[in-house]
Amino acid sequence: MMTPTKLKIFTGNANRPLAERIADSLGDSLGKLSVTRFPDGETSVRIEEDVRGRDVFIVQPTCHPVNENLMELLVILDAFKRSSPARITVVLPYYGYARQDRKDVGRVPITAKLVANLITAAGASRVLALDLHAAQIQGFFDIPLDHLHAAPVINEYIRKLEIPNDQLVVLSPDEGSIKRALSHQKKIGGSLAIVDKRRSTATETHQANLIGGDLRDKVAILFDDMISTAGSLVGAVNVAVQAGAREIYACATHGVLCGSAIERLKNAPIKQIIITDTIPLPPEKQLPNIKVVSVDFLVANAIKRIHHNESVSKLFE
């Protein structure tokens, strides 16, 4: 078994505050790593401490700007690969390109697989990911991947709201999220309802019907893996309003919040939007009803278990 002194957390520029909280939860400080830019924009990396024989964890979500943060991760990985650590684990709180996980039309790439290949080739020994958009992405890696879920963190926050069980309805925003909704319902109680979502184009959807569940004078709580443009979410919220819901909460692991998301959310009748800190929330995207909960303790526990060669799945039993 490795000794605790050999574990070290490093991070790039994608989400340093989260990496600092993870390191703090482990009772340590971040490793010394300099990530800068050459005048022409190229990424420059230097590890400023000895890592030979260490169990290295690199925290770097590939969020916006996606290509820059991904390239930064790859260069960091190469620097570590050439510095002889015992193992390099990439901690991906958010996996960019995850939605390009299949060929849904002809002559398109499967970029989620390409990114997996790049991370592996750059020197990663294993990956720790959080709420992948599609579970099959785990199979895109030829190295071990541990898949975490932010559900325990979000469920704990919902329970603290103390919504009476007979007043709570867990609302799945589409048919593809039913399994996730059921998982949350088992932990927080309430009944279940599903929004029938129809996709008209790659970027546009419309919500047609409500399946099951009576929302009249109830509190509806929506769960999804991410809020991107918020089109699907706001569409589901509108269905809940039309069905008579008195309060609506929206929960998601990843607050991507791109395009017209903030404008849509600002005008939507949502009491509270609960997201995690897998992606940093800049000031221009902060709304009064957005609540950010941290996954630092969850990720820190997973890192500790990986380091000591213990089961990660025990975290969700």
Side-chain angles (χ1 to χ4, degrees):
M1 183 181 290
M2 298 179 182
T3 59
T5 53
K6 286 191 174 182
L7 187 156
K8 199 67 185 179
I9 309 292
F10 293 86
T11 188
N13 295 318
N15 196 345
R16 190 174 184 87
L18 173 59
E20 287 173 344
R21 286 191 287 271
I22 291 169
D24 187 60
S25 293
L26 289 166
D28 200 359
S29 58
L30 286 176
K32 297 175 183 176
L33 176 69
S34 171
V35 183
T36 57
R37 298 285 182 270
F38 287 111
D40 62 355
E42 290 179 2
T43 300
S44 172
V45 169
R46 179 176 171 80
I47 305 163
E48 297 180 340
E49 62 180 271
D50 182 17
V51 294
R52 184 177 293 273
R54 290 227 173 194
D55 194 11
V56 168
F57 291 80
I58 304 166
V59 180
Q60 178 83 344
T62 50
C63 51
H64 178 80
V66 180
N67 293 341
E68 186 170 317
N69 286 329
L70 174 58
M71 191 64 202
E72 187 174 285
L73 171 61
L74 298 176
V75 177
I76 290 170
L77 273 168
D78 189 71
F80 277 100
K81 181 174 69 173
R82 299 173 190 279
S83 302
S84 303
R87 179 172 61 182
I88 308 169
T89 301
V90 174
V91 181
L92 288 170
Y94 173 74
Y95 188 84
Y97 286 108
R99 283 169 287 183
Q100 297 185 43
D101 62 324
R102 64 197 184 280
K103 289 187 69 172
D104 52 351
V105 294
R107 299 178 298 281
V108 297
I110 304 179
T111 320
K113 169 60 175 167
L114 171 63
V115 170
N117 290 346
L118 289 169
I119 290 171
T120 304
S125 308
R126 67 185 304 129
V127 170
L128 177 61
L130 188 65
D131 276 327
L132 292 168
H133 184 65
Q136 67 262 26
I137 291 173
Q138 297 172 72
F140 291 177
F141 286 87
D142 295 323
I143 54 176
L145 184 146
D146 293 293
H147 191 199
L148 296 184
H149 303 281
V153 177
I154 295 173
N155 289 341
E156 182 182 4
Y157 181 83
I158 294 298
R159 279 193 288 266
K160 287 178 180 177
L161 298 175
E162 297 183 341
I163 302 166
N165 194 61
D166 62 346
Q167 296 295 304
L168 191 154
V169 178
V170 174
L171 184 60
S172 175
D174 53 51
E175 295 89 337
S177 300
I178 293 173
K179 189 175 179 181
R180 180 182 295 105
L182 278 169
S183 174
H184 284 284
Q185 186 213 6
K186 286 178 183 177
K187 297 295 184 182
I188 66 174
S191 57
L192 179 72
I194 303 155
V195 174
D196 176 22
K197 182 179 79 171
R198 308 293 173 88
R199 182 168 293 280
S200 48
T201 69
T203 57
E204 294 181 8
T205 60
H206 70 277
Q207 283 66 26
N209 303 295
L210 184 69
I211 304 170
D214 181 9
L215 291 183
R216 282 175 295 179
D217 297 320
K218 300 288 181 67
V219 178
I221 304 182
L222 292 94
F223 292 97
D224 213 341
D225 64 322
M226 68 174 72
I227 303 174
S228 185
T229 62
S232 294
L233 175 66
V234 172
V237 167
N238 290 336
V239 170
V241 169
Q242 291 164 14
R246 77 166 192 269
E247 281 183 356
I248 300 168
Y249 292 82
C251 307
T253 302
H254 310 298
V256 180
L257 304 177
C258 59
S260 304
I262 294 302
E263 197 62 32
R264 284 175 173 150
L265 294 173
K266 192 184 297 182
N267 298 320
I270 306 173
K271 182 165 184 179
Q272 201 164 54
I273 302 157
I274 299 104
I275 58 175
T276 76
D277 57 352
T278 57
I279 296 174
L281 187 68
E284 65 272 15
K285 292 185 179 181
Q286 293 174 9
L287 296 175
N289 63 338
I290 289 183
K291 170 67 178 178
V292 180
V293 295
S294 185
V295 294
D296 56 350
F297 189 68
L298 174 69
V299 176
N301 270 345
I303 287 173
K304 196 183 299 182
R305 285 179 171 275
I306 290 169
H307 177 63
H308 289 295
N309 296 316
E310 297 172 353
S311 171
V312 174
S313 61
K314 288 283 186 183
L315 293 171
F316 305 102
E317 291 180 357

